[in-house]
Amino acid sequence: MKPISVAEALTVGSPPIEVRIRRNQRARRLVLRVGCARSGPTLTLPPGVSTAAARIFLDDHEAWLRSHLGRSRQSVPVRDGTMLPFGDGEIRVAAAPDGRPRLEGDRLVIPGRPADLPVRTGAFLREAARAACVAAVARHASALGRRAGRISLRDPRARWGSCTSAGDLMFSWRLVLAPAAVLDYVVAHEVAHLEEMNHSPRFWARVRALCPDYGRQRVWLRQHGPGLHAFDFSGAAPD
């Protein structure tokens, strides 16, 4: 496949969004940036990335891109009474004077000062995400006969997971807000990279073996994934 030239631009979706392509010899991964109104979105590519791979990446991140171009919902500050998606259901954040953060039915009880509620809610969800991702990694890695490296949880904007050449895995903790099958697909996708560090037909065959209905989960992420980033756990006052 022919490498992308420095001056090339690709379009994604309908109505189409033009994304400028930049190749950086020192880049180690694909990086999508929204940019300003004048420059527009750009996709930075490391050496050796093909046109097909860049298109797949843009297709996977179309919904995220549109959301950050101002076409999706506004930020939702998390506070007492906020309804949050959580796995296959919903939970309501509930302030409490004391005790430990805990789930009580469909309520997520968060004790402490009201000002700390958003951050403490996010911390609880991160731990829940870690437990779910660690369990899914163990299951899928065992199915492939592979061993994963270090597992970390972060809050990236442009990806849901990653796998390094050393076998270290990273996942967005916001996956805990998605349906369980979606989280499972993302984990299966990254675990499959332990065997195939590419997006070749062999790679997708591994993903399909681990997650037979992965196509449905990819569609869900494209359509609804940006909404998971709308929830603001910082506790910052709105502008």
Side-chain angles (χ1 to χ4, degrees), residues 86 91-92 100-109 124 128:
F86 184 72
I91 53 177
R92 182 186 298 276
R100 297 175 61 85
R102 60 196 181 275
L103 280 172
E104 292 183 351
D106 61 355
R107 295 197 316 151
L108 174 54
V109 180
F124 179 92

Side-chain angles (χ1 to χ4, degrees), residues 73-85 91-94 114-119 121-122 125 157 173-174 177 227-239:
R73 72 186 79 178
Q74 297 297 311
S75 177
V76 179
V78 172
R79 53 177 60 122
D80 185 23
T82 298
M83 294 296 298
L84 295 173
I91 53 177
R92 182 186 298 276
V93 179
D116 297 333
L117 182 142
V119 172
T121 299
L125 294 173
R157 283 290 193 176
W173 66 263
R174 290 179 187 261
L177 304 175
L228 305 185
H229 289 286
F231 295 102
D232 181 3
F233 296 88
S234 71
D239 296 335

Side-chain angles (χ1 to χ4, degrees), residues 5-28:
S5 65
V6 174
E8 187 173 353
L10 298 176
T11 59
V12 58
S14 179
I17 301 172
E18 183 175 278
V19 180
R20 292 191 302 153
I21 302 301
R22 291 178 175 172
R23 181 172 294 282
N24 186 333
Q25 294 295 321
R26 294 180 296 178
R28 303 184 66 178

Side-chain angles (χ1 to χ4, degrees), residues 166-188:
D168 294 335
L169 303 173
M170 183 281 296
F171 301 103
S172 167
W173 66 263
R174 290 179 187 261
L175 285 168
V176 78
L177 304 175
V182 172
L183 181 148
D184 190 72
Y185 154 65
V186 174
V187 173

